[in-house]
Amino acid sequence: MTAKKFYITTPLYYVNAKPHIGHAYTNVLCDAFSRFKRFQGQEVFFLTGTDEHGTKIEKIAREQGKEPVDFVDEMVPHFKKMWEVLDIRYDKFIRTTDEEHKKSVTAILQNLVKTGDIYQKTYSGWYCTPCESFWTELQLKEGKCPDCHREVQQLEEKNYFFKLSQHQAWLVKTIQEDKSFIQPEMRRNEILGFLREPLEDLCITRPKARLNWGIPFAPDPEFVVYVWFDALINYVSAIGYPENKTLFDALWPADVHMVGKDILRQHAVYWPIMLKAMGLGRPRTILAHGWWMMSGTKVSKSRGNAVDPLELVRKYSVDAFRYFLMNEVTLGSDGTFSEDLLAERYTTQLANDLGNLWFRYASMLDKYFGGLVPDVAPERLDATELYRRSLCLYEAAAAAVAVFDPRLALDKIFAVITLANQFVENQKPWALAKDPARKPDLELTLAVLGECNAHVACILQAFLPVCAKAMLERMGLPAWMPMVSNENFSKSFLRPGVRITRGEPLFPKLEDLKPQAE
Ligand code: MSP
């Protein structure tokens, strides 16, 4: 039997505004994990897409004098463009307006009505329009929505409900038994805390009279499907459930649903129960990241403090932007975005540490050996600490990725880069070059630096794909170098006599940077 493919998903983004740094963050994380798994020789399926139904979208379309269907068609290209600019290699882009998805939602709902998991009742309570959520009097905070703190309206209406409570005990037990199910631990505890109270059944329809822009609720034409119930189903509809199950069988259960901390409840409570009711297995891991903040508030379009990732990429390069997002915060915590900080990291870590290491190596190789890799006995390489440390990078990065910690992986890689720059200072190749008797030492120094650069480039493929590819190519190595095991990685990559091309600086000085054309 072939190994199951690694299936990773992002949330589906609401198309009411263009994507911002928070959305870019999720996709960059998923992309880095996907690339790392591919690098390790695993087959990957990476799903992203857009959430296009619901009151929020209908309202903004109407405000702009457009039909929702036209509005969403205009918005989706902004997301696709963003992923292209950020070099996000997804396998499928799903839209909740796709016919296939709508068919899947309809079939699933019809079945859940049949099994008795969905029933009708009259509900009266408070309703938050921006969150599309019902709240009881007790749940309100100072009379406002407990999630977004906005005004709520009193509502009384007939609707269809999905039974949650019958699977509550199962869910609690599952979360308690499998520590990797909901991560990080802080969020797992939050969900267990939420599950201490009895679950209220979930209202999964909206009357057509109030909301037209949704998937028709097939069992009763007076209603459309609640946007969250519609959207969550994408994770299975995108891979052919229930009609065309070949891909589904190869991919389900999902390995990782990456989400922001604000949408964890829908993913960690409603979604596993929906799957249970459908007779399907739960996802292996639901991973919640924190928020990007600016001036103490969450970055969001509606608050008007959004920074445009496209601008940042044009100014600093796609690798620099990706590096900043992954390196600045530990996955799970909130981070503060500031362009000054991005510029500082660019200069210190990317230009001065990594860029400089490459430049020094390639320039000295040119100067002392005409750009050709020197021939050095393997035992002499083995005896050098920097060489041994470079060969350990696979193990270190794989261990960090296995616990979803890209920041730790980058830390380990950059520690070797720092060590390599110190190695240059200590070895002083420029002094060795003056003494013909020390030629073997000069050869060893440059051979070690070459291997260090090659291994750094190889392991950076998942994190700084553009820079890694450039370095590999300049060293005459394949532009994509997967490594199925540590064994493949922990050996020399460069053949003696191969010519290395120095090329342009990998991360030019900021004052020399011309914004890149789109
Ligand atoms: N459409 C729903 C998700 C449905 S998934 C079946 C939704 N969309 S959203 O566009 O509002 O948010 C999508 C994701 O962006 C969420 O994971 C959210 O946490 C994330 N972010 C939005 N602002 C953010 C920051 N400022 N920082 C980090 N991520 C944030 O919710």
Side-chain angles (χ1 to χ4, degrees):
M1 219 178 83
T2 51
K4 182 191 158 307
K5 286 189 188 180
F6 182 79
Y7 180 29
I8 184 165
T9 68
T10 75
L12 297 193
Y13 303 104
Y14 286 131
V15 291
N16 54 339
K18 290 184 195 170
H20 59 62
I21 180 175
H23 309 135
Y25 180 52
T26 320
N27 279 39
V28 163
L29 289 172
C30 288
D31 188 65
F33 291 134
S34 296
R35 283 179 195 257
F36 202 87
K37 293 287 171 186
R38 290 192 174 112
F39 166 68
Q40 292 182 298
Q42 208 172 339
E43 278 195 81
V44 172
F45 194 88
F46 171 6
L47 176 71
T48 190
T50 41
D51 194 351
E52 304 184 12
H53 292 125
T55 318
K56 233 194 290 211
I57 315 278
E58 184 175 45
K59 189 163 167 271
I60 191 153
R62 300 273 179 231
E63 277 167 11
Q64 296 189 11
K66 291 174 185 154
E67 282 303 314
V69 66
D70 298 327
F71 174 77
V72 297
D73 279 351
E74 278 169 32
M75 290 306 289
V76 167
H78 292 294
F79 288 82
K80 292 194 169 164
K81 173 75 194 291
M82 176 74 74
W83 309 146
E84 189 190 319
V85 171
L86 290 180
D87 208 356
I88 305 294
R89 300 270 171 87
Y90 56 82
D91 294 284
K92 176 159 179 161
F93 189 104
I94 183 170
R95 301 179 54 178
T96 52
T97 49
D98 287 344
E99 281 314 313
E100 288 302 309
H101 171 74
K102 292 197 265 184
K103 268 208 274 181
S104 165
V105 171
T106 303
I108 288 169
L109 281 169
Q110 270 167 333
N111 212 32
L112 291 175
V113 170
K114 245 190 251 157
T115 54
D117 287 284
I118 289 175
Y119 66 96
Q120 196 184 35
K121 75 171 180 192
T122 301
Y123 177 88
S124 77
W126 297 96
Y127 189 69
C128 173
T129 309
C131 294
E132 307 207 27
S133 298
F134 287 98
W135 301 108
T136 61
E137 185 75 40
L138 275 180
Q139 286 172 316
L140 297 184
K141 267 202 191 127
E142 290 158 11
K144 303 215 166 122
C145 169
D147 272 359
C148 74
H149 315 295
R150 280 179 268 211
E151 295 292 335
V152 285
Q153 291 122 37
Q154 181 81 51
L155 265 190
E156 180 173 304
E157 64 188 23
K158 257 195 186 155
N159 263 315
Y160 286 84
F161 287 77
F162 173 62
K163 284 187 196 162
L164 288 173
S165 48
Q166 57 184 348
H167 297 303
Q168 182 162 359
W170 162 81
L171 184 60
V172 171
K173 191 162 170 269
T174 309
I175 298 173
Q176 279 168 341
E177 281 174 3
D178 182 357
K179 283 208 157 191
S180 61
F181 182 23
I182 294 164
Q183 297 191 50
E185 188 166 358
M186 181 194 20
R187 300 283 164 226
R188 175 173 172 264
N189 293 336
E190 210 175 271
I191 292 294
L192 284 171
F194 174 76
L195 286 168
R196 258 179 235 126
E197 301 296 322
L199 280 174
E200 305 248 353
D201 290 346
L202 182 68
C203 178
I204 57 133
T205 53
R206 298 292 180 264
K208 253 202 178 145
R210 192 151 66 74
L211 172 70
N212 227 323
W213 182 236
I215 300 181
F217 181 66
D220 186 339
E222 294 297 304
F223 294 88
V224 296
V225 180
Y226 169 47
V227 62
W228 265 104
F229 210 86
D230 159 359
L232 285 165
I233 287 175
N234 93 87
Y235 301 126
V236 294
S237 73
I239 54 172
Y241 185 86
E243 286 259 299
N244 181 358
K245 298 224 347 266
T246 321
L247 191 56
F248 177 83
D249 289 338
L251 293 175
W252 198 257
D255 291 273
V256 181
H257 287 323
M258 179 80 73
V259 298
K261 63 180 182 180
D262 50 325
I263 59 168
L264 182 59
R265 191 185 305 163
Q266 288 86 342
H267 284 82
V269 178
Y270 306 150
W271 179 230
I273 295 184
M274 284 163 69
L275 288 163
K276 176 96 176 137
M278 287 152 66
L280 299 178
R282 62 165 173 93
R284 295 206 168 121
T285 295
I286 299 166
L287 187 56
H289 64 67
W291 285 344
W292 282 94
M293 319 281 284
M294 278 175 89
S295 330
T297 50
K298 180 184 174 211
V299 173
S300 70
K301 252 299 181 296
S302 56
R303 295 213 177 103
N305 57 357
V307 274
D308 184 2
L310 298 181
E311 260 319 293
L312 296 170
V313 168
R314 266 196 288 276
K315 242 164 130 176
Y316 299 94
S317 80
V318 60
D319 276 356
F321 182 58
R322 291 167 69 113
Y323 174 78
F324 181 80
L325 293 180
M326 285 187 282
N327 188 57
E328 209 51 33
V329 290
T330 299
L331 206 163
S333 310
D334 290 347
T336 296
F337 180 81
S338 96
E339 193 177 333
D340 288 346
L341 211 55
L342 169 57
E344 191 195 311
R345 301 289 188 248
Y346 178 96
T347 300
T348 51
Q349 280 142 18
L350 297 176
N352 292 352
D353 292 348
L354 175 57
N356 200 27
L357 173 64
W358 170 259
F359 193 75
R360 287 166 115 183
Y361 161 65
S363 311
M364 289 191 294
L365 194 73
D366 258 351
K367 191 161 169 195
Y368 306 132
F369 297 103
L372 306 180
V373 174
D375 192 358
V376 170
E379 316 79 75
R380 296 191 68 212
L381 288 173
D382 282 338
T384 316
E385 191 204 344
L386 178 61
Y387 178 78
R388 290 197 306 268
R389 286 276 301 272
S390 306
L391 267 52
C392 289
L393 281 176
Y394 184 91
E395 243 172 9
V401 169
V403 294
F404 304 111
D405 194 343
R407 183 190 209 187
L408 179 63
L410 286 166
D411 255 13
K412 300 273 182 196
I413 301 167
F414 275 76
V416 169
I417 294 170
T418 303
L419 190 72
N421 279 314
Q422 282 163 2
F423 177 78
V424 175
E425 298 302 324
N426 296 340
Q427 295 301 111
K428 298 189 179 43
W430 47 91
L432 298 176
K434 286 189 186 136
D435 182 356
R438 312 260 344 241
K439 188 160 180 230
D441 292 335
L442 184 63
E443 284 171 344
L444 176 66
T445 303
L446 281 150
V448 168
L449 284 173
E451 288 302 334
C452 176
N453 272 287
H455 284 80
V456 162
C458 185
I459 203 70
L460 277 177
Q461 290 177 98
F463 307 104
L464 302 178
V466 180
C467 164
K469 181 165 176 267
M471 288 173 80
L472 292 172
E473 282 176 337
R474 289 172 190 196
M475 286 184 280
L477 293 166
W480 170 242
M481 250 180 111
M483 292 282 142
V484 290
S485 68
N486 184 40
E487 213 187 328
N488 290 11
F489 185 85
S490 48
K491 59 184 186 206
S492 290
F493 287 166
L494 299 174
R495 266 183 302 113
V498 160
R499 181 176 298 281
I500 306 290
T501 315
R502 185 174 71 188
E504 295 295 314
L506 293 169
F507 296 97
K509 285 205 170 73
L510 279 183
E511 51 274 26
D512 300 341
L513 260 188
K514 290 183 206 69
Q516 293 170 2
E518 267 184 35

